């Protein structure tokens, strides 16, 4: 019997939950420098995008599109960055990142540039509310 | 009338052509540190993944899957990284990157870590040949 899915502890520690789409758990990264949604397909033992079944790849694609539109609408960002890396956390996860021309790393990729910056609590709650409304999901 | 598609000059300068899939021009980045295919949908004035029509998103997804499998088979890499950033080159392009546990940046993302390293000509030609065979495309 396949073991059930559970969220990688490092991903859990670095994020707050937004809610669940049909396939993916949606998380908000704990870094106010770059509002970033992380989509984690709720399938056990997944590491590579190419290991997803074709119909689940298409579902994940649709959810990336949904998440990217929600994040863009909620943040009014200048650019979206989308990335599935997974060198340090093996569990398959996709970053959907809102970029601004005045953010801490622009125009470089976000990784390794600036230390994570905590959200102001009220600002984070407002962002979570806006994202859940646009994603049509309840509280995480 | 819509202007025809042409490859961004910076992308052209940083790569060699592998060939064309149904939607995307496939390029090999000029950096032997991390074998990297770049897929560029041949559609004018495209910047964001969410600006692609739904059927073209699905086609691009299928081509990312194809390119990732070809790259993994040709390089026997340890991990795939897939990313659409586009902060510096606006034309929509997707990086499909072969990562190794002993590469110059592992386990970090590749950006900004090591200067690009030129391929040995014969090694690059062998890689191009293997990739074209696996992608079922003719010479670029």
């Amino acid at each position: 019997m396949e073991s059930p899915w559970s969220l990688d502890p490092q991903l859990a520690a670095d994020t707050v939950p937004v809610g669940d789409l049909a396939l993916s758990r949606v998380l908000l990264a704990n870094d106010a420098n770059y509002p970033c949604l992380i989509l984690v397909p709720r399938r056990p033992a997944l590491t590579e995008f190419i290991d997803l079944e074709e119909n689940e790849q298409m579902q994940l694609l649709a959810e990336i599109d949904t998440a990217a539109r929600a994040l863009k609408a909620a943040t009014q960002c200048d650019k979206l960055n989308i990335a599935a890396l997974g060198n340090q956390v093996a569990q398959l996860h996709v970053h959907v990142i809102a970029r601004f021309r005045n953010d801490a790393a622009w125009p470089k990729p976000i990784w390794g540039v600036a230390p994570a910056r905590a959200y102001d609590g009220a600002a984070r709650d407002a962002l979570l509310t806006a994202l859940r409304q646009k994603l049509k999901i309840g509280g995480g």
Side-chain angles (χ1 to χ4, degrees), chain A:
Chain A
M1 201 180 100
E2 213 171 14
S3 61
W5 177 84
S6 65
L7 182 62
D8 177 274
Q10 188 66 52
L11 287 177
D14 293 344
T15 64
V16 291
V18 180
D20 282 359
L21 297 173
L23 175 63
S24 306
R25 171 85 31 103
V26 183
L27 310 164
L28 176 68
N30 290 331
D31 184 354
N33 284 313
Y34 328 96
C36 173
L37 293 174
I38 297 177
L39 277 64
V40 190
R42 297 190 303 281
R43 294 289 177 272
L46 257 187
T47 297
E48 295 283 13
F49 182 77
I50 60 174
D51 295 337
L52 271 176
E53 304 280 340
E54 187 180 352
N55 65 330
E56 293 187 328
Q57 282 191 354
M58 283 167 47
Q59 180 63 34
L60 179 54
L61 175 85
E63 295 182 359
I64 291 169
D65 183 82
T66 298
R69 289 175 192 275
L71 186 64
K72 186 175 180 186
T75 65
Q76 300 293 310
C77 60
D78 297 315
K79 184 73 186 73
L80 293 162
N81 288 180
I82 301 173
L85 305 178
N87 308 324
Q88 305 196 53
V89 169
Q91 184 171 68
L92 179 64
H93 61 286
V94 180
H95 302 257
V96 180
I97 309 161
R99 300 299 308 273
F100 297 87
R101 293 197 182 86
N102 63 351
D103 72 31
W106 185 267
K108 294 180 191 166
I110 65 167
W111 296 280
V113 174
R117 183 164 62 83
Y119 274 98
D120 168 78
R124 193 184 68 177
D125 289 348
L127 179 57
L128 283 169
T129 299
L131 288 167
R132 285 180 186 133
Q133 184 180 32
K134 289 171 201 307
L135 292 168
K136 300 183 177 65
I137 48 184

